[in-house]
Short mmCIF file of all heavy atoms in Angstrom, two decimals:
data_model
loop_
_atom_site.label_atom_id
_atom_site.label_comp_id
_atom_site.label_asym_id
_atom_site.label_seq_id
_atom_site.Cartn_x
_atom_site.Cartn_y
_atom_site.Cartn_z
N TRP A 28 71.11 9.20 -76.62
CA TRP A 28 72.05 9.52 -77.76
C TRP A 28 71.28 10.46 -78.70
O TRP A 28 70.08 10.48 -78.85
CB TRP A 28 72.26 8.26 -78.54
CG TRP A 28 73.30 7.35 -77.86
CD1 TRP A 28 74.68 7.37 -78.22
CD2 TRP A 28 73.19 6.52 -76.69
NE1 TRP A 28 75.34 6.48 -77.29
CE2 TRP A 28 74.49 5.93 -76.45
CE3 TRP A 28 72.21 6.20 -75.89
CZ2 TRP A 28 74.72 5.11 -75.40
CZ3 TRP A 28 72.37 5.33 -74.89
CH2 TRP A 28 73.65 4.87 -74.57
N GLN A 29 72.04 11.30 -79.50
CA GLN A 29 71.48 12.14 -80.51
C GLN A 29 71.26 11.57 -81.69
O GLN A 29 70.56 12.07 -82.69
CB GLN A 29 72.35 13.50 -80.66
CG GLN A 29 72.44 14.29 -79.40
CD GLN A 29 73.21 15.66 -79.64
OE1 GLN A 29 73.51 15.96 -80.70
NE2 GLN A 29 73.47 16.32 -78.64
N SER A 30 71.82 10.30 -82.05
CA SER A 30 71.57 9.48 -83.17
C SER A 30 71.15 8.20 -82.81
O SER A 30 71.88 7.55 -81.84
CB SER A 30 72.75 9.45 -84.10
OG SER A 30 73.08 10.68 -84.55
N LYS A 31 70.01 7.70 -83.24
CA LYS A 31 69.39 6.44 -82.75
C LYS A 31 69.25 5.63 -83.99
O LYS A 31 68.29 5.82 -84.70
CB LYS A 31 68.06 6.74 -82.05
CG LYS A 31 68.20 7.57 -80.73
CD LYS A 31 66.78 7.70 -80.20
CE LYS A 31 66.98 8.71 -78.95
NZ LYS A 31 65.54 9.06 -78.37
N TRP A 32 70.17 4.63 -84.19
CA TRP A 32 69.94 3.64 -85.28
C TRP A 32 70.98 2.63 -85.07
O TRP A 32 71.98 2.69 -84.27
CB TRP A 32 70.18 4.35 -86.58
CG TRP A 32 71.23 5.29 -86.73
CD1 TRP A 32 71.26 6.60 -86.67
CD2 TRP A 32 72.63 4.96 -87.13
NE1 TRP A 32 72.40 7.23 -86.91
CE2 TRP A 32 73.35 6.27 -87.15
CE3 TRP A 32 73.36 3.78 -87.40
CZ2 TRP A 32 74.69 6.33 -87.47
CZ3 TRP A 32 74.60 3.94 -87.71
CH2 TRP A 32 75.29 5.13 -87.76
N GLU A 44 76.84 10.34 -93.18
CA GLU A 44 75.53 10.82 -93.56
C GLU A 44 75.07 11.85 -92.36
O GLU A 44 74.52 12.96 -92.71
CB GLU A 44 74.54 9.75 -93.90
CG GLU A 44 73.51 10.20 -94.89
CD GLU A 44 72.68 9.06 -95.29
OE1 GLU A 44 71.83 8.51 -94.50
OE2 GLU A 44 72.86 8.50 -96.45
N ASP A 45 75.09 11.30 -91.05
CA ASP A 45 74.69 12.05 -90.03
C ASP A 45 75.45 13.42 -89.86
O ASP A 45 74.91 14.45 -89.60
CB ASP A 45 74.81 11.32 -88.74
CG ASP A 45 73.70 10.31 -88.73
OD1 ASP A 45 72.85 10.07 -89.61
OD2 ASP A 45 73.47 9.64 -87.43
N ILE A 46 76.81 13.27 -90.07
CA ILE A 46 77.60 14.44 -90.09
C ILE A 46 77.25 15.55 -91.05
O ILE A 46 77.14 16.74 -90.72
CB ILE A 46 79.08 14.10 -90.10
CG1 ILE A 46 79.44 13.14 -88.94
CG2 ILE A 46 80.02 15.31 -90.23
CD1 ILE A 46 80.93 12.59 -88.98
N ILE A 48 74.31 15.88 -92.63
CA ILE A 48 72.96 16.32 -92.27
C ILE A 48 73.13 17.50 -91.31
O ILE A 48 72.48 18.66 -91.38
CB ILE A 48 71.97 15.27 -91.82
CG1 ILE A 48 71.69 14.39 -93.03
CG2 ILE A 48 70.75 15.90 -91.19
CD1 ILE A 48 70.83 13.21 -92.55
N ARG A 49 73.85 17.20 -90.24
CA ARG A 49 74.01 18.22 -89.09
C ARG A 49 74.69 19.53 -89.58
O ARG A 49 74.37 20.62 -89.33
CB ARG A 49 74.78 17.57 -87.93
CG ARG A 49 74.01 16.61 -87.05
CD ARG A 49 74.57 16.36 -85.79
NE ARG A 49 73.70 15.49 -84.95
CZ ARG A 49 73.67 14.30 -84.87
NH1 ARG A 49 74.57 13.53 -85.71
NH2 ARG A 49 72.80 13.62 -84.13
N VAL A 65 70.74 18.73 -83.38
CA VAL A 65 69.96 18.01 -84.25
C VAL A 65 69.94 16.60 -83.96
O VAL A 65 71.10 15.98 -83.77
CB VAL A 65 70.50 18.25 -85.68
CG1 VAL A 65 69.59 17.47 -86.70
CG2 VAL A 65 70.56 19.68 -86.09
N GLU A 66 68.83 15.95 -83.74
CA GLU A 66 68.67 14.54 -83.43
C GLU A 66 68.20 13.76 -84.63
O GLU A 66 67.24 14.22 -85.22
CB GLU A 66 67.64 14.37 -82.31
CG GLU A 66 68.19 14.98 -81.00
CD GLU A 66 67.12 14.74 -79.82
OE1 GLU A 66 66.04 14.21 -80.03
OE2 GLU A 66 67.51 15.21 -78.65
N ILE A 67 68.89 12.64 -84.82
CA ILE A 67 68.40 11.86 -86.01
C ILE A 67 67.99 10.38 -85.49
O ILE A 67 68.72 9.80 -84.75
CB ILE A 67 69.68 11.68 -86.87
CG1 ILE A 67 70.16 13.12 -87.40
CG2 ILE A 67 69.34 10.79 -88.15
CD1 ILE A 67 71.34 13.18 -88.24
N ASP A 68 66.78 9.99 -85.94
CA ASP A 68 66.31 8.65 -85.70
C ASP A 68 65.99 7.90 -87.04
O ASP A 68 65.21 8.48 -87.85
CB ASP A 68 64.99 8.79 -84.91
CG ASP A 68 64.59 7.55 -84.23
OD1 ASP A 68 65.19 6.44 -84.62
OD2 ASP A 68 63.66 7.53 -83.48
N ARG A 69 66.65 6.79 -87.21
CA ARG A 69 66.58 6.05 -88.42
C ARG A 69 65.66 4.75 -88.23
O ARG A 69 65.80 4.13 -87.26
CB ARG A 69 67.96 5.63 -89.08
CG ARG A 69 68.75 6.73 -89.57
CD ARG A 69 70.21 6.07 -89.80
NE ARG A 69 71.06 7.10 -90.16
CZ ARG A 69 71.20 7.61 -91.44
NH1 ARG A 69 70.58 7.13 -92.42
NH2 ARG A 69 72.20 8.56 -91.70
N MET A 74 63.73 8.37 -92.16
CA MET A 74 64.60 9.08 -91.31
C MET A 74 63.85 10.24 -90.65
O MET A 74 63.25 10.99 -91.43
CB MET A 74 65.90 9.56 -92.13
CG MET A 74 66.83 10.32 -91.13
SD MET A 74 68.22 11.09 -92.10
CE MET A 74 68.70 9.69 -93.13
N THR A 75 63.91 10.44 -89.33
CA THR A 75 63.32 11.48 -88.67
C THR A 75 64.38 12.43 -88.07
O THR A 75 65.32 11.96 -87.39
CB THR A 75 62.38 10.99 -87.49
OG1 THR A 75 61.51 10.09 -87.94
CG2 THR A 75 61.87 12.18 -86.84
N VAL A 76 64.33 13.65 -88.53
CA VAL A 76 65.44 14.75 -88.08
C VAL A 76 64.57 15.72 -87.09
O VAL A 76 63.58 16.32 -87.64
CB VAL A 76 65.87 15.45 -89.35
CG1 VAL A 76 66.89 16.45 -88.89
CG2 VAL A 76 66.52 14.47 -90.34
N THR A 77 65.13 15.76 -85.91
CA THR A 77 64.55 16.77 -85.01
C THR A 77 65.45 17.86 -84.78
O THR A 77 66.63 17.59 -84.33
CB THR A 77 64.17 16.00 -83.70
OG1 THR A 77 63.18 14.92 -83.87
CG2 THR A 77 63.33 17.01 -82.72
#
Side-chain angles (χ1 to χ4, degrees):
W28 282 259
Q29 293 189 10
S30 290
K31 299 177 186 176
W32 44 267
E44 205 172 75
D45 282 9
I46 295 172
I48 291 172
R49 288 194 171 92
V65 179
E66 296 178 354
I67 299 174
D68 190 355
R69 294 174 183 266
M74 182 189 308
T75 303
V76 178
T77 305

